[in-house]
Amino acid sequence: MATLRLIITIIFVIAALAIIIIVLMQEGKGSGLSGMTGENSDTFWAQNKKNSLEGRFELFTKLIAAVFIISAALLGMI
């Protein structure tokens, strides 16, 4: 049981560090003053964002957050 706890703890710490790094690498979501004008945001960039590096960062953030939450729950149960 101690080895299982150690493995889950290591996964937990790696996921926590990965979330920190990936979130810091992402661009800000605020549109600044340009968001106040009410212009349409259906640009080519907005429509194809999922294929870009920023879209991959968002996907990795969601996946690693799921690993983090699951490992936290498992650590809480052990």
Side-chain angles (χ1 to χ4, degrees):
M1 194 66 145
T3 57
L4 179 62
R5 183 173 177 86
L6 178 65
I7 292 170
I8 295 174
T9 303
I10 291 170
I11 292 171
F12 181 75
V13 170
I14 291 172
L17 292 174
I19 287 174
I20 292 169
I21 292 169
I22 290 175
V23 167
L24 288 175
M25 291 174 65
Q26 290 181 5
E27 295 178 7
K29 301 294 180 208
S31 57
L33 291 176
S34 65
M36 295 173 58
T37 60
E39 293 179 13
N40 192 2
S41 65
D42 291 334
T43 62
F44 178 78
W45 174 255
Q47 292 174 351
N48 294 312
K49 191 174 183 181
K50 66 179 179 184
N51 297 329
S52 68
L53 184 61
E54 184 69 22
R56 288 189 210 123
F57 280 152
E58 289 181 17
L59 177 65
F60 291 148
T61 303
K62 291 174 186 175
L63 293 174
I64 294 173
V67 170
F68 179 80
I69 291 170
I70 291 169
S71 62
L74 289 174
L75 282 173
M77 286 189 247
I78 293 179

